[in-house]
Amino acid sequence: MTTMKIPPAPDIEAAGLQAAQADVIGETTEWIEAFDQIVAAEGPMAGAHLLRTLTRRARQAGVDLPIQLNTPYVNTIRVEEEEPYPGDRLIERRIKSLVRWNAMAMVHRQNKKDPGIGGHISTYSSLATLLEVGFNHFFRTRYGDEPGDFLYLQGHASPGIYARAFLAGMFSEEQIDNFRHELRDKPGLSSYPHPWLMPHFWRFPTVSMGLSPINAIYQARFMRYLENRGLIARTERKIWAFVGDGEMDEPESMGSLTLASREKLDNLIFVVNCNLQRLDGPVRGNGKIIQELEAAFRGAGWNVIKVIWGCDWDELLARDTTGLLLKRMEECVDGDYQSFKVKGGAYIREKFFGKYPQLLELVAGKTDEELSKLRLGGHDPQKVYNAYKFAVEHRGAPTVILAKTIKGYGLGSAEARNATHQEKKLSDKDLALFRSRFDIPIPEQAAHDGAPYRPPEDSLEILYLKERRKELGGYILQRQVPKFDLKAPELDYFAESLAGSKGRAVSTTMGYVSMLRHLLKHPEIGKLIVPIVPDEGRTFGMESLIRQVGIYASQGQLYEPHDQDMLLYYREAKDGQILEEGITEAGSMGSFTAAGTAYANYRVPMIPFFTFYSMFGFQRVGDLIWAFADARGRGFLVGGTAGRTTLAGEGLQHLDGHSHVLASVVPTCTSYDCAYVYEIAVIVQDGIRRMFQEGEDRFYYITAYNEDYPMPEMPEGSAEGILRGIYKFKPAPGGKAILQLFGSGPILNETLRAQQTLAEKYKVQADVWSVTSYNQLRRDALATERWNRLHPAEKEKRPYLLDALDGAEGPIVAASDYMKIVPDQLAPWLSGRLVTLGTDGFGRSDNRQHLRQHFEVNAESIAAAALSRLARDGKLDARKAQKALRDLGVDTEKIDPARA
Ligand SMILES: Cc1ncc(C[n+]2csc(CCOP(=O)(O)OP(=O)(O)O)c2C)c(N)n1
Ligand SMILES: [Mg+2]
């Protein structure tokens, strides 16, 4: 045990003590000596015990000690604790150099060939050692028969991942040659990790900053959920999330840290690539990002491992008896460190060491070049290996490794500069330097062109790389989807939902929840259902679910719930099935994503139902939903309390009239706006069949409302129409219709009332249609139209919409609880027949009746719109129509709700 060299002087200064109190200095020295002796004799645990006891005593004595979350600006793992590196450093360095070269060359060459095609060279160059140590010694492809570790990688580092796969023989030179050329004869590699684009390679879409950290946390939690529910075996599998230091500023990155520690997720390791830079400049020019993150993570209960200095610094720290080296390390801010890197050895000598003569002395024997090459922790395999080893072995909490690196490491003049993130090409000089620094055996001209290089199959490098991967179970990244023999329940299974409510007034939400309850009882797929809810379970009437399957709690229920004697008490259980996330839609999306991709990641086809307040869905967590689609996620999003006029009383921030617009933009999302419970049943049954039986990569968005009304029985033969988007619900009561009324959600009931009023008061016969999905109808029409456009010589095909409407005459009045643009999607195929009513504009707090009147989607407004249109078409006397509007109570001069 070496005695620590702690200079008392700065502490005294920090405490603001006067020189007159200098005797304290002497006492401090004595205390430190005594402490050192105890640690030397009894070990670090004894030291920790002493300090803890002393701290408690100090507090009792009224000494106000600030909470200290930071440790000194040095490596967390002491040199004495390190293990020697187990690999062949020399060969590994060769491999790393080749990966570096190919990553850089790939981007360089592509931009020479196709200027502006982009790509990144500096993120990976800072990350290379952190990844190589992992690939050679830690990341396992499998644990027995179970899938191996999960890797969330910085999206901008993908050239490095491709380069390594190229060396491993997974990609041909042609594929590398087609980096960012995905639409050629021989498709190449996507810019970033996108399972949608490269389904056999990428697993986790990570390039939108912040999504990877939150998704990784919830993935780790979901892994435990599956283990605790007995659906997968418990293994040593880890989730590694490599994230940028700039990326940590995204609220999603840090927002769920305490979940990870609360749940004791020791299967989770974050590695923050602290290259001190983001895109425009330094992450914390005036501070130290590593220290800031250390405090935040430590405060959140994580195990923090700082990897700041490489081995080169160990010797300097050991030789410094003054404590000034640490002092200097701590007083420099990240902006200084960046300058040291850019400006080189002489500058480091003058500005870093030169501040104190003793430090100049310390490095007197080193040349400027040696100073410029003093390695940082994140570039030192020895330090990185030990950090990983400690992380993997840590129990009871997640670990974050804060590794200091250099952005653009090895890229010559681009190294550590503010503009390095944007660098795509290197100058000939930098290329030549790179080639010689990393010893790449290719001719100079090939180097200038950025030619890829892979040594022969029997070279030491390739043999070593392959042997290491073989040892760890194979190449890490492949995404494999097994074939499941899951059979979706037949529609009969949903008989209760199809039968209607026998006159009882219920909401579609209630109907949906009973359906979910029933599904949870299904002998085969019941256990695969994952109900997810962000604290609105009671709003949706889910208390009975809580009783039935319990809320997942990794520790079980450690308290006696106050409502235990009630039937529907708040039941938490270790094998509980519901994920009650608390108020975090983003976190719930993390769970939804983990569950909805479990079929690929764990080979267990989990079926998630994430039920949320529809207003706080797509607009709140739209990017996470987009990434879910990219990840080929499957499952059901259910937007409860839907509709801008159906959720009464809540007002502007709560009333959703546009989630269907937002849902429509996600290519794999099929959205439905349901009026009746049987519609939901048909959709859910078919959804389970398509996603989990047929293996289609799609997911569903269904809106569910809280208005109670009697649910009719499913009309015979309506299933296809429900799924494709439209079916006739109620033909005109008194003969041939001259008008068509489209309704969706609860507004279908307004439409039915309008149908009756029009027939009884105005002798106008109208058919009523339930439109479950404008979005599906439009997609079908667009696809048909495209086919017609591309095949002008063939018989024209007709979109489903027009088939369905065959023979239905007259104008069409479409009304829903969503914006007018939702039905307007169909306008191109309805040749001027469409009149749309909808809920454009901010919501108000009032009851349904007033809201529907305000937004002009009540029965009276629907009837009025129909009469007005018939008048314009010359089918009705215009003055009569105007009078009818008055009789219907329509205020023709009121403010337009779209602007109110
Ligand atoms: C949500 C989001 N906003 C902006 C970007 C654009 N962007 C790409 S990389 C980058 C900087 C990343 O810095 P850092 O996280 O420190 O990673 P580094 O490249 O330094 O390792 C930015 C802003 C993005 N990808 N995602
Ligand atoms: Mg960075």
Side-chain angles (χ1 to χ4, degrees):
M1 167 92 204
T2 50
T3 306
M4 277 173 277
K5 301 169 288 292
I6 299 174
D11 292 357
I12 299 293
E13 269 166 29
L17 298 181
Q18 302 297 315
Q21 294 170 289
D23 53 338
V24 175
I25 296 174
E27 280 184 29
T28 308
T29 311
E30 279 171 30
W31 275 61
I32 288 175
E33 278 168 15
F35 180 79
D36 285 353
Q37 280 166 14
I38 286 181
V39 174
E42 320 266 340
M45 298 289 273
H49 173 75
L50 185 64
L51 282 182
R52 264 198 309 274
T53 315
L54 199 57
T55 308
R56 207 176 314 127
R57 178 74 199 115
R59 293 227 166 87
Q60 282 167 352
V63 177
D64 184 22
L65 288 172
I67 291 178
Q68 181 54 273
L69 291 170
N70 274 127
T71 58
Y73 196 58
V74 288
N75 297 341
T76 307
I77 300 169
R78 288 176 297 120
V79 180
E80 311 83 83
E81 295 173 290
E82 286 177 16
E83 266 196 15
Y85 197 74
D88 183 330
R89 287 278 296 263
L90 224 61
I91 296 189
E92 288 191 20
R93 183 173 185 275
R94 288 285 310 141
I95 297 170
K96 185 164 60 187
S97 299
L98 293 170
V99 182
R100 279 182 187 287
W101 170 261
N102 284 301
M104 186 276 298
M106 190 187 318
V107 180
H108 176 85
R109 178 151 81 160
Q110 209 62 332
N111 281 274
K112 250 184 149 176
K113 195 162 74 186
D114 193 351
I117 201 71
H120 298 81
I121 55 182
S122 56
T123 301
Y124 177 73
S125 61
S126 60
L127 195 59
T129 302
L130 292 168
L131 288 184
E132 281 303 303
V133 172
F135 278 122
N136 284 323
H137 301 282
F138 290 93
F139 308 153
R140 303 193 67 89
T141 309
R142 59 179 66 92
Y143 289 89
D145 288 339
E146 284 286 308
D149 298 322
F150 294 1
L151 287 186
Y152 289 74
L153 296 161
Q154 281 184 276
H156 299 80
S158 51
I161 308 302
Y162 293 144
R164 186 166 227 279
F166 168 61
L167 290 182
M170 291 178 68
F171 291 143
S172 63
E173 192 169 327
E174 193 173 62
Q175 280 170 294
I176 295 289
D177 202 30
N178 271 336
F179 170 61
R180 290 195 171 217
H181 279 181
E182 295 189 86
L183 303 174
R184 312 295 161 111
D185 291 347
K186 304 238 167 59
L189 306 172
S190 66
S191 50
Y192 301 118
H194 295 300
W196 186 259
L197 303 175
M198 293 175 62
H200 302 300
F201 191 75
W202 294 118
R203 297 161 87 187
F204 307 109
T206 53
V207 81
S208 177
M209 309 262 113
L211 302 194
S212 156
I214 190 169
N215 275 332
I217 290 174
Y218 279 86
Q219 181 74 262
R221 199 290 215 88
F222 192 71
M223 191 180 278
R224 293 284 184 249
Y225 168 91
L226 290 177
E227 290 167 359
N228 283 330
R229 289 194 51 218
L231 291 163
I232 59 169
R234 192 164 184 138
T235 65
E236 282 300 305
R237 175 172 34 209
K238 303 283 179 203
I239 290 158
W240 296 79
F242 288 82
V243 297
D245 49 357
E247 180 172 13
M248 295 313 289
D249 281 341
E250 289 285 3
E252 289 88 348
S253 301
M254 307 275 285
S256 300
L257 295 188
T258 51
L259 172 94
S261 47
R262 192 163 66 241
E263 293 284 308
K264 303 187 176 24
L265 298 178
D266 48 21
N267 54 348
L268 178 64
I269 300 168
F270 270 23
V271 181
V272 187
N273 175 13
C274 294
N275 55 25
L276 315 187
Q277 288 174 247
R278 42 180 163 69
L279 196 154
D280 287 342
V283 177
R284 292 288 183 276
N286 293 321
K288 282 205 274 297
I289 186 65
I290 291 180
Q291 297 300 84
E292 183 179 325
L293 291 176
E294 174 185 36
F297 275 91
R298 207 181 280 280
W302 285 53
N303 173 41
V304 179
I305 301 177
K306 295 194 290 191
V307 185
I308 303 176
W309 310 106
C311 295
D312 300 343
W313 291 86
D314 290 341
E315 172 262 331
L316 290 177
L317 281 162
R319 269 200 293 124
D320 173 41
T321 49
T322 61
L324 285 170
L325 183 54
L326 175 62
K327 180 173 158 61
R328 186 70 192 122
M329 286 168 166
E330 299 207 316
E331 66 195 13
C332 287
V333 292
D334 285 354
D336 294 324
Y337 283 113
Q338 196 187 353
S339 295
F340 297 145
K341 207 58 232 169
V342 173
K343 296 190 177 173
Y347 184 86
I348 296 173
R349 187 184 306 279
E350 183 197 337
K351 300 283 184 178
F352 181 78
F353 294 104
K355 172 132 189 227
Y356 303 109
Q358 295 96 320
L359 292 187
L360 269 183
E361 192 90 348
L362 194 68
V363 293
K366 293 198 183 292
T367 64
D368 286 351
E369 176 157 7
E370 282 169 338
L371 289 189
S372 75
K373 287 199 170 144
L374 286 173
R375 212 176 331 182
L376 294 180
H379 293 293
D380 189 331
Q382 164 76 12
K383 300 294 183 195
V384 173
Y385 174 82
N386 277 282
Y388 287 3
K389 186 164 182 300
F390 271 62
V392 164
E393 289 170 1
H394 190 76
R395 290 290 171 268
T399 292
V400 61
I401 293 168
L402 303 170
K404 188 161 170 167
T405 60
I406 293 163
K407 194 145 175 170
Y409 187 71
L411 298 180
S413 57
E415 207 170 68
R417 289 179 189 271
N418 281 333
T420 181
H421 187 89
Q422 300 294 70
E423 222 64 67
K424 319 282 174 220
K425 283 189 283 190
L426 292 189
S427 65
D428 284 354
K429 183 165 160 256
D430 282 338
L431 278 163
L433 269 174
F434 193 109
R435 189 181 64 129
S436 57
R437 174 165 177 186
F438 294 109
D439 202 13
I440 310 296
I442 53 171
E444 175 133 3
Q445 188 50 46
H448 291 176
D449 294 343
Y453 174 72
R454 183 173 189 270
E457 203 57 37
D458 59 356
S459 62
L460 281 180
E461 293 90 335
I462 299 295
L463 289 175
Y464 185 92
L465 181 151
K466 289 196 161 173
E467 189 274 324
R468 288 311 310 150
R469 285 315 313 161
K470 198 166 147 217
E471 178 82 5
L472 294 162
Y475 198 76
I476 188 84
L477 286 169
Q478 276 149 317
R479 178 180 179 276
Q480 286 164 347
V481 180
K483 189 108 193 69
F484 299 106
D485 58 358
L486 183 148
K487 182 99 184 58
E490 298 294 334
L491 201 50
D492 292 353
Y493 188 76
F494 297 85
E496 206 175 302
S497 308
L498 303 176
S501 63
K502 317 275 184 272
R504 202 161 60 91
V506 296
S507 65
T508 47
T509 305
M510 278 169 74
Y512 153 69
V513 172
S514 329
M515 195 181 309
L516 199 54
R517 225 171 34 230
H518 189 52
L519 267 178
L520 284 160
K521 289 184 194 147
H522 190 278
E524 268 95 52
I525 67 160
K527 62 179 181 301
L528 303 176
I529 307 284
V530 186
I532 302 168
V533 63
D535 200 43
E536 292 286 349
R538 286 182 203 275
T539 309
F540 306 129
M542 287 183 163
E543 292 93 329
S544 53
L545 282 191
I546 296 177
R547 171 65 210 238
Q548 186 183 332
V549 292
I551 289 170
Y552 171 71
S554 55
Q555 304 171 64
Q557 194 153 30
L558 301 177
Y559 60 99
E560 205 170 278
H562 78 86
D563 51 2
Q564 198 171 25
D565 47 353
M566 288 163 68
L567 183 66
L568 301 181
Y569 77 97
Y570 196 81
R571 186 166 84 83
E572 301 193 65
K574 196 163 177 171
D575 61 352
Q577 199 161 344
I578 299 171
L579 289 173
E580 160 63 86
E581 301 294 9
I583 310 168
T584 166
E585 284 77 12
S588 303
M589 266 314 294
S591 287
F592 186 64
T593 304
T597 53
Y599 70 93
N601 293 327
Y602 302 94
R603 304 190 211 127
V604 189
M606 302 306 288
I607 309 174
F609 286 79
F610 170 22
T611 314
F612 49 88
Y613 226 116
S614 77
M615 188 66 163
F616 306 125
F618 278 83
Q619 82 168 13
R620 177 84 188 214
V621 290
D623 201 21
L624 282 154
I625 296 177
W626 185 259
F628 177 82
D630 185 352
R632 298 175 171 261
R634 303 172 185 172
F636 295 93
L637 292 176
V638 179
T641 51
R644 196 157 274 160
T645 70
T646 303
L647 174 61
E650 291 291 333
L652 184 151
Q653 185 69 69
H654 287 70
L655 305 184
D656 165 37
H658 55 278
S659 63
H660 277 291
V661 182
L662 305 179
S664 76
V665 306
V666 184
T668 60
C669 177
T670 308
S671 51
Y672 288 101
D673 191 8
C674 295
Y676 299 128
V677 173
Y678 65 79
E679 295 178 351
I680 303 185
V682 168
I683 292 160
V684 167
Q685 190 277 336
D686 193 61
I688 295 178
R689 182 187 66 77
R690 293 183 72 162
M691 294 186 286
F692 298 99
Q693 184 176 312
E694 306 302 327
E696 292 181 29
D697 291 323
R698 49 162 55 222
F699 68 103
Y700 289 74
Y701 176 56
I702 301 171
T703 34
Y705 296 81
N706 66 0
E707 182 174 357
D708 294 332
Y709 46 84
M711 292 294 152
E713 192 182 345
M714 175 176 159
E716 209 161 304
S718 57
E720 188 189 359
I722 292 171
L723 294 172
R724 300 195 67 172
I726 186 168
Y727 65 98
K728 193 185 281 184
F729 179 74
K730 191 168 179 194
K736 173 88 180 140
I738 58 157
L739 174 77
Q740 310 301 321
L741 300 177
F742 287 4
S744 309
I747 300 300
L748 183 60
N749 295 325
E750 299 291 334
T751 308
L752 289 166
R753 275 212 296 130
Q755 179 190 40
Q756 198 179 354
T757 307
L758 285 166
E760 287 172 4
K761 278 200 177 164
Y762 303 100
K763 307 287 173 265
V764 170
Q765 294 298 327
D767 293 332
V768 167
W769 303 75
S770 176
V771 184
T772 49
S773 182
Y774 285 100
N775 193 225
Q776 281 303 90
L777 291 170
R778 177 176 168 85
R779 285 177 178 170
D780 167 75
L782 285 175
T784 313
E785 187 180 88
R786 176 175 177 272
W787 189 91
N788 289 339
R789 189 175 75 238
L790 296 173
H791 304 89
E794 313 220 15
K795 184 173 179 300
E796 208 172 30
K797 292 187 179 179
R798 206 155 66 145
Y800 180 79
L801 169 70
L802 297 186
D803 268 348
L805 287 179
D806 200 17
E809 284 170 16
I812 298 166
V813 179
S816 82
D817 218 356
Y818 280 82
M819 289 176 69
K820 295 183 177 111
I821 191 139
V822 175
D824 280 346
Q825 296 179 77
L826 301 184
W829 297 277
L830 294 175
S831 39
R833 293 166 69 189
L834 188 64
V835 177
T836 315
L837 299 175
T839 57
D840 298 44
F842 283 124
R844 289 286 192 286
S845 35
D846 213 312
N847 64 18
R848 286 181 192 125
Q849 186 195 344
H850 282 85
L851 285 168
R852 287 175 186 169
Q853 190 173 23
H854 172 76
F855 282 105
E856 301 164 6
V857 293
N858 55 358
E860 291 71 23
S861 300
I862 296 170
L867 295 171
S868 175
R869 175 58 191 250
L870 288 170
R872 291 263 176 224
D873 287 354
K875 301 266 169 56
L876 189 72
D877 180 82
R879 271 164 313 177
K880 274 196 191 151
Q882 194 75 54
K883 177 171 178 307
L885 260 59
R886 243 191 336 274
D887 294 345
L888 287 164
V890 171
D891 178 355
T892 55
E893 305 313 310
K894 90 183 204 342
I895 187 165
D896 180 352
R899 280 178 280 118

